[in-house]
Coordinates of all heavy atoms in Angstrom, one line a residue:
L1 N 64.4 118.1 33.9 CA 65.4 117.1 34.4 C 66.6 116.9 33.5 O 67.5 116.1 34.0 CB 64.7 115.7 34.5 CG 63.6 115.6 35.6 CD1 63.0 114.2 35.5 CD2 64.2 115.8 36.9
T2 N 66.7 117.7 32.4 CA 67.9 117.5 31.6 C 69.1 118.1 32.3 O 69.0 119.1 33.1 CB 67.7 118.1 30.2 OG1 67.4 119.5 30.3 CG2 66.6 117.4 29.5
T3 N 70.3 117.7 32.0 CA 71.5 118.2 32.5 C 72.3 118.6 31.4 O 72.1 118.4 30.2 CB 72.3 117.2 33.3 OG1 72.6 116.2 32.5 CG2 71.4 116.6 34.5
S4 N 73.4 119.4 31.8 CA 74.4 119.8 30.7 C 75.0 118.6 30.0 O 75.4 118.7 28.8 CB 75.5 120.8 31.3 OG 76.2 120.0 32.3
E5 N 75.1 117.5 30.7 CA 75.7 116.3 30.1 C 74.6 115.6 29.2 O 75.0 114.8 28.3 CB 76.2 115.3 31.1 CG 77.4 115.9 31.9 CD 77.0 116.8 33.1 OE1 75.9 116.6 33.7 OE2 77.8 117.7 33.4
N6 N 73.4 115.7 29.6 CA 72.4 114.9 28.8 C 71.1 115.8 28.7 O 70.3 116.0 29.5 CB 71.9 113.7 29.7 CG 70.8 112.9 29.0 OD1 70.6 113.0 27.7 ND2 70.0 112.2 29.8
R7 N 71.1 116.5 27.6 CA 69.9 117.4 27.2 C 69.1 116.7 26.2 O 68.2 117.4 25.6 CB 70.6 118.8 26.6 CG 71.3 119.5 27.6 CD 71.7 120.8 27.0 NE 72.5 120.6 25.8 CZ 73.6 121.1 25.5 NH1 74.3 121.9 26.4 NH2 74.2 120.9 24.4
R8 N 69.2 115.4 25.9 CA 68.4 114.8 25.0 C 67.2 114.4 25.5 O 66.9 113.8 26.6 CB 69.1 113.6 24.5 CG 68.4 112.8 23.3 CD 69.2 111.6 22.9 NE 68.5 110.9 21.8 CZ 67.6 110.1 21.9 NH1 67.2 109.7 23.1 NH2 67.0 109.5 20.9
V9 N 66.1 114.9 24.8 CA 64.6 114.5 25.1 C 64.1 113.8 23.9 O 64.2 114.0 22.8 CB 63.8 115.8 25.3 CG1 62.3 115.5 25.5 CG2 64.3 116.6 26.5
E10 N 63.5 112.6 24.3 CA 62.9 111.7 23.3 C 61.4 112.1 23.2 O 60.7 112.2 24.1 CB 63.0 110.2 23.7 CG 62.3 109.4 22.7 CD 62.5 107.9 23.3 OE1 61.5 107.5 24.1 OE2 63.4 107.2 22.9
Y11 N 61.0 112.4 21.9 CA 59.6 112.8 21.7 C 58.9 111.6 20.9 O 59.5 111.0 20.0 CB 59.6 113.9 20.8 CG 60.2 115.2 21.4 CD1 61.5 115.5 21.3 CD2 59.3 116.0 22.2 CE1 62.0 116.6 22.0 CE2 59.8 117.2 22.9 CZ 61.1 117.5 22.7 OH 61.7 118.5 23.4
V12 N 57.8 111.3 21.3 CA 56.9 110.3 20.6 C 55.7 111.0 20.0 O 54.9 111.5 20.9 CB 56.5 109.1 21.6 CG1 55.7 108.1 20.8 CG2 57.8 108.5 22.2
F13 N 55.6 111.1 18.8 CA 54.5 111.7 18.1 C 53.5 110.5 17.7 O 53.9 109.6 17.0 CB 55.0 112.4 16.9 CG 55.8 113.6 17.2 CD1 57.2 113.5 17.2 CD2 55.3 114.9 17.6 CE1 58.0 114.6 17.4 CE2 56.1 116.0 17.9 CZ 57.4 115.8 17.8
A14 N 52.3 110.8 18.1 CA 51.3 109.7 17.8 C 49.9 110.5 17.4 O 49.9 111.7 17.8 CB 51.0 108.7 18.8
A15 N 49.0 109.8 16.9 CA 47.7 110.5 16.6 C 47.0 111.1 17.8 O 46.4 112.2 17.7 CB 46.8 109.5 16.0
E16 N 47.2 110.5 19.0 CA 46.5 111.1 20.2 C 47.3 112.1 21.0 O 46.7 112.9 21.7 CB 46.0 110.0 21.0 CG 47.1 109.1 21.7 CD 47.7 108.1 20.7 OE1 47.1 107.8 19.6 OE2 48.7 107.5 21.1
A17 N 48.5 112.0 20.9 CA 49.3 113.0 21.8 C 50.9 113.0 21.3 O 51.3 112.2 20.5 CB 49.3 112.5 23.3
C18 N 51.5 114.0 21.8 CA 53.0 114.1 21.8 C 53.5 113.9 23.1 O 53.2 114.7 24.1 CB 53.5 115.5 21.2 SG 55.2 115.7 21.3
T19 N 54.4 112.9 23.4 CA 54.9 112.6 24.7 C 56.4 112.9 24.6 O 57.1 112.5 23.8 CB 54.6 111.2 25.0 OG1 53.2 111.0 24.9 CG2 55.1 110.8 26.4
A20 N 56.8 113.6 25.7 CA 58.3 113.9 25.9 C 58.8 113.0 27.0 O 58.2 112.9 28.1 CB 58.5 115.3 26.1
N21 N 59.9 112.3 26.7 CA 60.5 111.5 27.8 C 61.9 111.9 27.9 O 62.6 112.1 27.0 CB 60.5 110.0 27.4 CG 59.1 109.5 27.0 OD1 58.3 109.6 27.9 ND2 58.8 109.1 25.8
V22 N 62.4 111.9 29.3 CA 63.9 112.2 29.5 C 64.3 111.2 30.6 O 63.5 110.9 31.5 CB 64.1 113.7 30.0 CG1 63.4 113.9 31.2 CG2 65.6 114.0 30.0
R23 N 65.4 110.7 30.6 CA 66.0 109.8 31.5 C 67.5 110.3 31.9 O 68.3 110.4 31.0 CB 66.1 108.4 31.0 CG 66.7 107.4 32.0 CD 66.6 106.0 31.4 NE 65.2 105.6 31.2 CZ 64.9 104.9 30.1 NH1 65.7 104.5 29.2 NH2 63.5 104.6 29.9
T24 N 67.7 110.6 33.2 CA 69.1 110.9 33.6 C 69.4 110.1 34.7 O 68.6 109.9 35.6 CB 69.2 112.5 34.0 OG1 68.2 112.7 34.9 CG2 68.9 113.3 32.7
P25 N 70.7 109.7 34.8 CA 71.0 108.8 35.9 C 71.0 109.3 37.2 O 70.5 108.7 38.2 CB 72.4 108.4 35.5 CG 72.8 108.9 34.2 CD 71.7 109.8 33.8
D26 N 71.3 110.7 37.4 CA 71.3 111.3 38.6 C 70.1 112.0 39.1 O 69.7 112.2 40.2 CB 72.5 112.3 38.7 CG 72.4 113.3 37.6 OD1 71.8 113.1 36.7 OD2 73.0 114.4 37.8
R27 N 69.2 112.3 38.1 CA 67.9 113.0 38.4 C 66.6 112.2 38.2 O 65.5 112.6 38.6 CB 67.8 114.2 37.7 CG 68.9 115.2 38.0 CD 68.8 116.6 37.3 NE 69.9 117.4 37.7 CZ 69.8 118.7 37.6 NH1 68.7 119.3 37.2 NH2 70.9 119.4 37.8
G28 N 66.7 111.1 37.6 CA 65.6 110.2 37.4 C 64.9 110.4 36.0 O 65.6 110.9 35.1
D29 N 63.7 109.9 35.9 CA 62.9 109.9 34.6 C 61.7 110.8 34.8 O 61.2 111.0 35.8 CB 62.4 108.4 34.4 CG 63.5 107.4 34.3 OD1 64.6 107.8 34.2 OD2 63.1 106.2 34.3
A30 N 61.4 111.3 33.7 CA 60.2 112.2 33.5 C 59.5 112.0 32.2 O 60.2 111.8 31.2 CB 60.6 113.7 33.7
T31 N 58.2 112.2 32.3 CA 57.4 112.0 31.0 C 56.3 113.1 31.1 O 55.7 113.3 32.3 CB 56.7 110.6 30.9 OG1 57.8 109.7 30.9 CG2 55.8 110.6 29.8
D32 N 56.0 113.8 30.0 CA 54.9 114.7 29.9 C 54.3 114.6 28.6 O 55.0 114.3 27.6 CB 55.4 116.2 30.2 CG 54.3 117.1 30.5 OD1 53.1 116.6 30.8 OD2 54.6 118.3 30.6
S33 N 53.0 114.9 28.5 CA 52.3 114.7 27.2 C 51.5 115.9 26.9 O 51.1 116.7 27.8 CB 51.3 113.6 27.1 OG 52.0 112.3 27.3
I34 N 51.4 116.2 25.6 CA 50.5 117.3 25.1 C 49.4 116.6 24.3 O 49.8 115.9 23.4 CB 51.3 118.2 24.3 CG1 52.4 119.0 25.0 CG2 50.3 119.4 23.6 CD1 53.2 119.9 24.2
E35 N 48.2 116.9 24.5 CA 47.1 116.3 23.8 C 45.9 117.2 23.8 O 45.8 118.1 24.7 CB 46.7 115.0 24.5 CG 46.4 115.0 25.8 CD 46.2 113.6 26.5 OE1 46.9 112.7 26.2 OE2 45.1 113.5 27.1
P36 N 45.1 117.2 22.8 CA 45.3 116.5 21.6 C 46.1 117.1 20.6 O 46.4 118.4 20.7 CB 43.8 116.4 21.1 CG 43.2 117.7 21.5 CD 43.9 118.1 22.8
I37 N 46.7 116.4 19.7 CA 47.4 117.0 18.7 C 46.9 116.4 17.3 O 46.2 115.4 17.3 CB 49.0 116.7 18.7 CG1 49.2 115.2 18.5 CG2 49.5 117.1 20.0 CD1 50.7 114.7 18.4
A38 N 47.2 117.2 16.3 CA 46.7 116.7 14.9 C 48.1 116.1 14.2 O 48.7 116.9 13.5 CB 46.2 117.8 14.1
W39 N 48.2 114.8 14.3 CA 49.4 114.2 13.8 C 48.9 113.3 12.6 O 48.1 112.4 12.8 CB 50.2 113.2 14.9 CG 51.4 112.6 14.3 CD1 51.5 111.3 14.0 CD2 52.6 113.2 14.0 NE1 52.7 111.0 13.5 CE2 53.4 112.2 13.5 CE3 53.1 114.5 14.2 CZ2 54.8 112.4 13.2 CZ3 54.4 114.8 13.8 CH2 55.2 113.7 13.3
A40 N 49.5 113.5 11.5 CA 49.3 112.7 10.3 C 50.5 111.9 10.0 O 51.6 112.4 10.0 CB 49.0 113.6 9.1
G41 N 50.2 110.6 9.8 CA 51.3 109.7 9.6 C 51.5 108.6 10.6 O 50.8 108.6 11.6
D42 N 52.5 107.8 10.4 CA 52.8 106.8 11.4 C 53.4 107.4 12.6 O 53.9 108.5 12.7 CB 53.9 105.8 10.8 CG 53.3 105.0 9.6 OD1 52.1 104.9 9.5 OD2 54.1 104.6 8.8
D43 N 53.3 106.6 13.8 CA 53.9 107.0 15.0 C 55.4 107.3 14.8 O 56.0 106.6 14.0 CB 53.7 106.0 16.1 CG 52.2 106.0 16.5 OD1 51.4 106.7 16.0 OD2 51.9 105.1 17.4
L44 N 56.0 108.2 15.5 CA 57.5 108.5 15.3 C 58.1 108.8 16.6 O 57.5 109.6 17.5 CB 57.5 109.8 14.4 CG 58.9 110.4 14.2 CD1 59.7 109.3 13.3 CD2 58.9 111.7 13.5
T45 N 59.1 108.2 16.9 CA 60.0 108.5 18.1 C 61.3 109.0 17.7 O 62.0 108.4 16.8 CB 60.2 107.1 18.8 OG1 59.0 106.6 19.2 CG2 61.0 107.3 20.1
I46 N 61.7 110.2 18.2 CA 62.8 110.9 17.8 C 63.4 111.7 18.9 O 62.7 112.2 19.8 CB 62.5 111.8 16.5 CG1 63.8 112.4 15.9 CG2 61.5 112.8 16.9 CD1 63.5 113.0 14.5
G47 N 64.7 111.8 19.0 CA 65.3 112.6 20.1 C 65.9 113.9 19.7 O 66.5 114.0 18.6
F48 N 65.8 114.9 20.4 CA 66.3 116.3 20.2 C 67.0 116.9 21.4 O 66.6 116.5 22.5 CB 65.2 117.3 19.8 CG 64.7 116.9 18.4 CD1 63.4 116.3 18.3 CD2 65.2 117.3 17.2 CE1 62.9 115.9 17.1 CE2 64.7 116.9 16.0 CZ 63.5 116.3 15.9
D49 N 67.9 117.8 21.2 CA 68.4 118.6 22.3 C 67.3 119.6 22.8 O 66.8 120.3 22.1 CB 69.7 119.4 21.8 CG 70.3 120.2 22.9 OD1 69.6 120.9 23.6 OD2 71.5 120.0 23.0
A50 N 67.0 119.4 24.1 CA 65.9 120.2 24.8 C 66.2 121.7 24.6 O 65.1 122.4 24.3 CB 65.9 119.8 26.2
N51 N 67.3 122.1 24.7 CA 67.5 123.5 24.6 C 67.3 124.1 23.2 O 66.7 125.2 23.1 CB 69.0 123.9 25.0 CG 69.2 123.8 26.5 OD1 68.4 123.6 27.3 ND2 70.5 123.5 26.8
L52 N 67.6 123.3 22.2 CA 67.4 123.8 20.8 C 65.8 123.8 20.5 O 65.4 124.8 19.9 CB 68.1 122.9 19.8 CG 69.6 122.9 19.9 CD1 70.1 121.9 18.9 CD2 70.1 124.3 19.6
V53 N 65.1 122.8 21.1 CA 63.7 122.8 20.8 C 63.1 123.9 21.6 O 62.2 124.6 21.0 CB 63.1 121.4 21.3 CG1 61.5 121.4 21.2 CG2 63.6 120.3 20.4
L54 N 63.5 124.2 22.9 CA 62.9 125.3 23.5 C 63.1 126.7 22.9 O 62.3 127.5 22.9 CB 63.5 125.3 25.0 CG 62.9 124.3 26.0 CD1 63.5 124.2 27.2 CD2 61.4 124.4 26.1
A55 N 64.4 126.9 22.4 CA 64.7 128.2 21.7 C 63.9 128.4 20.5 O 63.4 129.4 20.2 CB 66.2 128.1 21.3
A56 N 63.6 127.3 19.8 CA 62.8 127.4 18.5 C 61.4 127.6 19.0 O 60.7 128.5 18.3 CB 62.9 126.1 17.7
L57 N 60.8 127.0 20.0 CA 59.5 127.3 20.4 C 59.3 128.7 20.9 O 58.3 129.3 20.6 CB 59.0 126.2 21.3 CG 58.8 124.8 20.8 CD1 58.6 123.9 22.1 CD2 57.5 124.8 19.9
H58 N 60.3 129.2 21.6 CA 60.3 130.5 22.2 C 60.3 131.5 21.0 O 59.6 132.5 21.0 CB 61.4 130.8 23.1 CG 61.5 132.2 23.7 ND1 60.6 132.6 24.6 CD2 62.3 133.2 23.4 CE1 60.8 133.8 24.9 NE2 61.9 134.2 24.2
A59 N 61.0 131.3 19.9 CA 61.1 132.2 18.9 C 59.8 132.3 18.1 O 59.5 133.3 17.4 CB 62.3 131.7 17.9
V60 N 59.0 131.3 18.1 CA 57.7 131.2 17.4 C 56.8 132.3 17.9 O 56.3 133.1 17.0 CB 57.0 129.9 17.6 CG1 55.7 129.9 17.0 CG2 57.9 128.8 16.9
G61 N 56.7 132.4 19.1 CA 55.9 133.5 19.7 C 54.3 133.3 19.4 O 53.6 134.3 19.6
T62 N 53.9 132.2 19.0 CA 52.4 131.9 18.8 C 52.0 130.7 19.8 O 52.8 130.0 20.2 CB 52.1 131.6 17.4 OG1 52.9 130.4 17.0 CG2 52.5 132.7 16.4
A63 N 50.7 130.7 20.0 CA 50.2 129.6 20.7 C 50.2 128.3 20.2 O 50.2 127.2 20.8 CB 48.7 129.9 21.2
Q64 N 50.3 128.3 18.8 CA 50.4 126.9 18.1 C 51.5 127.0 17.2 O 51.8 128.0 16.6 CB 49.1 126.7 17.4 CG 48.0 126.4 18.3 CD 46.6 126.1 17.4 OE1 46.6 126.2 16.2 NE2 45.5 125.8 18.1
V65 N 52.1 125.8 16.9 CA 53.1 125.6 16.0 C 52.8 124.4 15.1 O 52.2 123.5 15.6 CB 54.6 125.5 16.5 CG1 55.0 126.7 17.3 CG2 54.6 124.3 17.5
Q66 N 53.2 124.4 13.9 CA 53.2 123.2 13.1 C 54.6 122.5 13.0 O 55.5 123.2 12.7 CB 52.8 123.6 11.7 CG 52.7 122.4 10.8 CD 52.3 122.8 9.3 OE1 51.9 123.9 9.0 NE2 52.2 121.8 8.5
L67 N 54.6 121.3 13.3 CA 55.8 120.5 13.3 C 55.8 119.6 12.2 O 54.8 118.9 12.0 CB 56.0 119.7 14.6 CG 56.0 120.5 15.9 CD1 56.1 119.4 17.0 CD2 57.1 121.4 16.0
A68 N 56.9 119.5 11.4 CA 57.0 118.5 10.4 C 58.4 117.8 10.6 O 59.4 118.4 10.7 CB 57.0 119.2 9.1
C69 N 58.2 116.5 10.8 CA 59.4 115.6 11.0 C 59.6 114.7 9.7 O 58.6 114.2 9.3 CB 59.2 114.8 12.2 SG 59.2 115.7 13.8
H70 N 60.8 114.6 9.3 CA 61.1 113.8 8.0 C 61.9 112.6 8.5 O 63.0 112.4 8.3 CB 61.8 114.6 7.1 CG 61.1 116.0 6.8 ND1 60.1 115.9 5.9 CD2 61.3 117.3 7.2 CE1 59.6 117.3 5.8 NE2 60.3 118.0 6.6
G71 N 61.1 111.6 9.2 CA 61.7 110.4 9.6 C 62.5 110.5 10.9 O 62.6 111.6 11.4
S72 N 62.8 109.3 11.4 CA 63.5 109.4 12.7 C 64.8 110.0 12.7 O 65.5 110.1 13.9 CB 63.5 107.9 13.3 OG 64.3 107.1 12.4
R73 N 65.4 110.2 11.6 CA 66.8 110.8 11.5 C 66.8 112.2 10.9 O 67.8 112.8 10.6 CB 67.8 109.8 10.9 CG 68.0 108.6 11.7 CD 69.1 107.8 11.1 NE 69.4 106.7 11.9 CZ 70.4 106.5 12.6 NH1 71.4 107.4 12.5 NH2 70.7 105.5 13.3
G74 N 65.6 112.7 10.5 CA 65.5 113.9 9.8 C 65.2 115.0 10.7 O 65.0 114.9 11.8
A75 N 65.3 116.2 10.1 CA 65.1 117.5 10.7 C 63.7 117.7 11.2 O 62.7 117.1 10.5 CB 65.6 118.6 9.9
M76 N 63.4 118.4 12.3 CA 62.1 118.8 12.6 C 61.9 120.3 12.2 O 62.8 121.1 12.6 CB 61.8 118.8 14.2 CG 60.5 119.2 14.6 SD 60.0 118.8 16.3 CE 61.3 119.7 17.2
V77 N 61.0 120.6 11.5 CA 60.6 122.0 11.0 C 59.5 122.5 11.7 O 58.5 122.0 11.8 CB 60.4 122.0 9.4 CG1 60.2 123.4 9.0 CG2 61.6 121.3 8.7
L78 N 59.8 123.7 12.4 CA 58.8 124.3 13.2 C 58.2 125.5 12.4 O 59.1 126.4 12.0 CB 59.4 124.7 14.6 CG 59.7 123.6 15.5 CD1 61.1 123.3 15.4 CD2 59.3 124.0 16.8
T79 N 57.0 125.7 12.3 CA 56.4 126.8 11.5 C 55.4 127.5 12.4 O 54.5 126.8 12.9 CB 55.8 126.4 10.1 OG1 56.8 125.6 9.5 CG2 55.3 127.6 9.4
P80 N 55.4 128.8 12.7 CA 54.3 129.4 13.5 C 52.9 129.3 12.9 O 52.8 129.3 11.6 CB 54.8 130.9 13.6 CG 55.7 131.1 12.6 CD 56.4 129.8 12.1
V81 N 51.9 129.1 13.7 CA 50.6 129.0 13.2 C 49.9 130.2 13.7 O 49.5 130.3 15.0 CB 49.9 127.7 13.6 CG1 48.4 127.7 13.1 CG2 50.6 126.5 13.0
D82 N 49.6 131.2 12.9 CA 48.8 132.4 13.4 C 48.0 133.0 12.2 O 48.6 133.4 11.2 CB 49.8 133.5 14.0 CG 49.1 134.6 14.6 OD1 47.8 134.7 14.5 OD2 49.7 135.4 15.2
P83 N 46.7 132.9 12.2 CA 45.9 133.4 11.1 C 46.1 134.9 10.8 O 46.0 135.3 9.7 CB 44.5 133.1 11.5 CG 44.5 132.9 13.0 CD 45.8 132.5 13.4
K84 N 46.7 135.7 11.7 CA 46.8 137.1 11.5 C 48.2 137.3 10.9 O 48.5 138.4 10.4 CB 46.7 137.7 12.8 CG 45.4 137.8 13.5 CD 45.4 138.4 14.8 CE 44.1 138.1 15.5 NZ 44.1 138.7 16.9
T85 N 49.2 136.3 11.0 CA 50.5 136.5 10.6 C 50.9 135.5 9.4 O 50.8 134.4 9.8 CB 51.5 136.5 11.8 OG1 51.2 137.4 12.7 CG2 52.9 136.8 11.3
P86 N 51.2 135.9 8.3 CA 51.6 135.0 7.3 C 52.9 134.3 7.7 O 53.7 134.9 8.5 CB 51.8 135.8 6.0 CG 52.2 137.2 6.5 CD 51.4 137.3 7.9
E87 N 53.1 133.2 7.2 CA 54.3 132.4 7.5 C 55.5 133.2 6.9 O 55.6 133.4 5.7 CB 54.3 131.0 6.8 CG 55.6 130.2 7.0 CD 55.5 128.9 6.2 OE1 54.5 128.3 6.1 OE2 56.6 128.6 5.7
V88 N 56.4 133.5 7.7 CA 57.6 134.3 7.3 C 58.9 133.7 7.5 O 59.9 134.1 7.1 CB 57.6 135.8 7.9 CG1 56.4 136.6 7.5 CG2 57.6 135.6 9.5
W89 N 58.9 132.5 8.4 CA 60.2 131.9 8.7 C 59.9 130.5 9.1 O 58.8 130.1 9.5 CB 61.0 132.6 9.8 CG 60.2 132.7 11.1 CD1 59.4 133.6 11.5 CD2 60.3 131.7 12.2 NE1 58.8 133.3 12.7 CE2 59.5 132.1 13.2 CE3 61.1 130.5 12.3 CZ2 59.3 131.4 14.3 CZ3 60.9 129.8 13.5 CH2 60.0 130.3 14.5
R90 N 60.9 129.7 9.2 CA 60.8 128.3 9.7 C 62.1 128.1 10.6 O 63.2 128.6 10.4 CB 60.9 127.3 8.6 CG 59.6 127.4 7.9 CD 59.6 126.3 6.7 NE 58.4 126.4 6.0 CZ 58.2 125.8 4.9 NH1 59.1 125.0 4.4 NH2 57.1 126.0 4.2
A91 N 61.9 127.4 11.7 CA 63.1 126.9 12.5 C 63.3 125.5 12.2 O 62.3 124.7 12.1 CB 62.7 127.1 13.9
I92 N 64.6 125.1 12.0 CA 64.9 123.7 11.9 C 65.8 123.2 12.9 O 66.7 123.8 13.4 CB 65.7 123.6 10.5 CG1 64.8 124.1 9.3 CG2 66.2 122.2 10.2 CD1 65.5 124.2 8.0
V93 N 65.4 122.1 13.5 CA 66.1 121.4 14.5 C 66.5 120.1 14.1 O 65.7 119.3 13.8 CB 65.3 121.3 15.9 CG1 66.1 120.8 17.1 CG2 64.8 122.8 16.3
M94 N 67.8 119.8 14.1 CA 68.3 118.4 13.8 C 68.2 117.5 15.0 O 68.4 117.9 16.1 CB 69.8 118.6 13.4 CG 70.0 119.3 12.1 SD 69.0 118.7 10.6 CE 69.8 117.1 10.4
P95 N 67.8 116.1 14.7 CA 67.8 115.3 15.8 C 69.1 115.0 16.4 O 70.2 115.2 15.8 CB 67.2 114.0 15.1 CG 67.6 114.1 13.7 CD 67.6 115.6 13.4
R96 N 69.1 114.4 17.7 CA 70.3 114.1 18.4 C 70.3 112.5 18.4 O 69.4 111.9 18.8 CB 70.2 114.6 19.8 CG 71.4 115.0 20.3 CD 71.4 115.7 21.6 NE 72.6 115.4 22.3 CZ 73.0 115.9 23.4 NH1 72.3 116.7 24.0 NH2 74.1 115.7 23.8
L97 N 71.4 112.0 18.0 CA 71.6 110.5 18.1 C 71.6 110.0 19.5 O 72.0 110.7 20.5 CB 72.8 110.1 17.4 CG 72.9 110.4 15.9 CD1 74.3 110.0 15.3 CD2 71.8 109.8 15.2
A98 N 71.1 108.8 19.8 CA 71.1 108.2 21.1 C 72.5 108.0 21.6 O 73.4 107.6 21.0 CB 70.3 106.9 21.0
T99 N 72.5 108.3 22.9 CA 73.9 108.1 23.5 C 73.7 107.1 24.7 O 74.5 107.1 25.6 CB 74.4 109.4 24.1 OG1 73.5 109.9 25.0 CG2 74.7 110.5 23.0
G100 N 72.7 106.4 24.7 CA 72.5 105.3 25.7 C 71.4 105.8 26.7 O 70.9 105.0 27.5
A101 N 71.1 107.2 26.8 CA 70.2 107.6 27.7 C 68.9 107.9 27.0 O 68.9 108.8 26.2 CB 70.7 108.9 28.5
V102 N 67.9 107.2 27.2 CA 66.5 107.3 26.5 C 66.8 107.1 25.0 O 67.4 107.7 24.3 CB 65.9 108.7 26.6 CG1 64.5 108.7 26.0 CG2 65.5 108.9 28.2

C-alpha cells in the first residue's frame, strides 16, 4: 500500500511479534505481523522507508535475519543468519521521521 509519496512503514517490535503498519490517504491502512520473533528489550516503534528495508532483506538471501535497533531514532542493522555462512556483511537502514502519516 505504500506510494511514491509515502513509503514509510511503521514497525512495532515486541516480544511476541513484529508488526508492520502503513497508512496512506488514497489507498487505506494495512497491518501485517510476523510471529514468533525473538525480541530482547523493551517494545519499540520505529518507521523506515519500505523500499530500503526490502532491498536490505533481499540482499540478505537467507531465511532468517538478525535485526538490531538502537532506539526509536537509531539505525536498524540487518545481519544474515545462516549457520553455513559466516557473517560477512551488515546492512544499515536509517529510520524515517514521521511526516504525519502513521
Side-chain angles (χ1 to χ4, degrees):
L1 288 178
T2 62
T3 65
S4 59
E5 295 83 30
N6 179 22
R7 295 183 306 233
R8 185 175 184 273
V9 176
E10 179 184 85
Y11 297 90
V12 179
F13 295 96
E16 64 279 352
C18 172
T19 303
N21 302 301
V22 66
R23 178 178 300 140
T24 56
D26 57 336
R27 296 186 184 205
D29 301 347
T31 299
D32 197 8
S33 293
I34 298 172
E35 50 187 52
I37 65 170
W39 180 257
D42 296 334
D43 291 359
L44 175 67
T45 300
I46 189 167
F48 291 100
D49 182 305
N51 291 338
L52 296 177
V53 174
L54 287 174
L57 289 170
H58 180 71
V60 169
T62 59
Q64 294 182 353
V65 295
Q66 178 179 357
L67 304 175
C69 293
H70 304 282
S72 62
R73 292 185 178 250
M76 176 172 60
V77 179
L78 295 93
T79 307
V81 176
D82 185 352
K84 298 176 188 171
T85 306
E87 177 187 324
V88 294
W89 65 273
R90 292 181 181 170
I92 298 173
V93 182
M94 294 302 293
R96 213 173 155 172
L97 297 179
T99 58
V102 179

